[in-house]
Amino acid sequence: MAIELAPNRRTLLGGIAAAGIGLVTAGCTTANDERNAGGGGGGGGGKKPITIGYIDWDEDIAATYLWQKILQDKGHKVTLKHVSDAGPVFVGLDQGQVDLYLDAWLPATHKTYWDKYGKNLTDLGVWYDSAPLTIAVPDYMQIESLDQLKSIGSQVGNKIVGIEAGAGLTAAAKKMIKDYGLSGWQLQTSSTPSMLAALKKATDEKKPIVVTLWRPHWAYNAFPVKDLKDPKGSMGKPDSIHSVGRKGFEKDFPDVAAMLKKFQMDDKTLSPLEEEVVQKNKDAPMAGVEAWLKDNPDFVKSLG
């Protein structure tokens, strides 16, 4: 069984079982997807319809709804296909059931899928160039590097607040504890929501805390946090986030491919987009996109 390390969703995602792998499987498209397909900005306009596959990673949700809005406004009918993890999306791209996926983490996180299907896919470029696993603290703490953690152990009870026990991020944090000689330190594992709740409580009260985190994430926009430098490289090298199309995508959608190749985001643009779409408007993500575009009026113009 193929395994992918998924830092954003914090679990070691299972590989692709032969049964139920394709995106035509019942239940893969949510009611919200069906309701939004082709809506909002046009019903096709004579242009070929586009199917975008996505999973429950915050940056993927945000980017997918952003591009649904952009493409609908350009006259495309857009259908969203939601699945549980990246494996079925790559299969859908390979089989032509999905035209576009906006959240391929390469070269490491989705290596298994890229090695298997990449030869039949189209890499449309990097839109977020550094997606690292991190250890973070509030920006009011007087610490800048992981090799300074020992000095603040008493402030945080020698504890790092982590996420799910089976996460790739958790494995990296355990390696970091060993590499930096943090004997007596505890990595507290629970869940991503629990970690974020603890981070919110600590920063609201201006108290010290150490957490496992990753970029991109809306927490960097919502809380006063900073990443600690990692001179030993224990947390691993960052991935880049790519847009990936099915075979023949550039030929069938030359206008879209050209825009995607100009698509660029960084923390200053992506974190507020995630916060609008995934947090403030989680039940109406398109409203979040529209609010973000109102604050970023030149973004679509930058795509050509």
Side-chain angles (χ1 to χ4, degrees), residues 6-11 13 56-60 164 192 214:
N8 267 46
R9 287 315 154 262
R10 289 73 62 186
T11 54
L13 297 178
D56 286 328
W57 292 17
D58 289 350
E59 77 285 343
D60 195 14
E164 289 78 5
T192 299
W214 60 95

Side-chain angles (χ1 to χ4, degrees), residues 97-174:
Q97 298 164 353
V98 171
D99 297 304
L100 178 64
Y101 178 46
L102 294 161
D103 204 32
W105 285 51
L106 299 170
T109 301
H110 290 145
K111 182 179 187 300
T112 298
Y113 302 130
W114 192 257
D115 287 349
K116 186 169 185 177
Y117 303 111
K119 63 182 181 297
N120 292 324
L121 307 182
T122 303
D123 189 342
L124 297 164
V126 173
W127 63 268
Y128 186 92
D129 64 5
S130 183
L133 306 180
T134 69
I135 302 296
V137 298
D139 61 11
Y140 49 77
M141 290 182 67
Q142 301 302 308
I143 178 176
E144 302 297 331
S145 176
L146 291 173
D147 54 15
Q148 296 175 300
L149 280 175
K150 287 182 180 180
S151 69
I152 55 94
S154 61
Q155 298 179 36
V156 296
N158 289 337
K159 181 179 70 177
I160 299 172
V161 181
I163 53 170
E164 289 78 5
L169 175 54
T170 298
K174 289 180 178 178

Side-chain angles (χ1 to χ4, degrees), residues 29-140:
T29 304
T30 67
N32 188 55
D33 296 330
E34 293 290 358
R35 183 172 64 250
N36 282 299
K47 295 186 177 182
K48 293 181 180 179
I50 295 178
T51 297
I52 305 176
Y54 77 103
I55 61 178
D56 286 328
W57 292 17
D58 289 350
E59 77 285 343
D60 195 14
I61 296 169
T64 295
Y65 277 94
L66 173 63
W67 275 93
Q68 183 185 35
K69 170 66 174 171
I70 292 169
L71 295 178
Q72 286 176 166
D73 287 351
K74 294 289 185 180
H76 291 275
K77 178 180 178 182
V78 181
T79 299
L80 306 185
K81 295 287 187 180
H82 171 249
V83 293
S84 59
D85 64 71
V89 181
F90 278 93
V91 174
L93 289 164
D94 180 64
Q95 296 179 353
Q97 298 164 353
V98 171
D99 297 304
L100 178 64
Y101 178 46
L102 294 161
D103 204 32
W105 285 51
L106 299 170
T109 301
H110 290 145
K111 182 179 187 300
T112 298
Y113 302 130
W114 192 257
D115 287 349
K116 186 169 185 177
Y117 303 111
K119 63 182 181 297
N120 292 324
L121 307 182
T122 303
D123 189 342
L124 297 164
V126 173
W127 63 268
Y128 186 92
D129 64 5
S130 183
L133 306 180
T134 69
I135 302 296
V137 298
D139 61 11
Y140 49 77

Side-chain angles (χ1 to χ4, degrees), residues 12 133-135 146 149 160-183 185-190 212 234-236:
L12 291 174
L133 306 180
T134 69
I135 302 296
L146 291 173
L149 280 175
I160 299 172
V161 181
I163 53 170
E164 289 78 5
L169 175 54
T170 298
K174 289 180 178 178
K175 181 178 184 298
M176 182 279 297
I177 289 173
K178 182 178 179 181
D179 289 350
Y180 285 89
L182 300 176
S183 59
W185 278 67
Q186 173 193 4
L187 177 61
Q188 177 183 295
T189 58
S190 57
T212 60
S234 298
M235 300 300 291

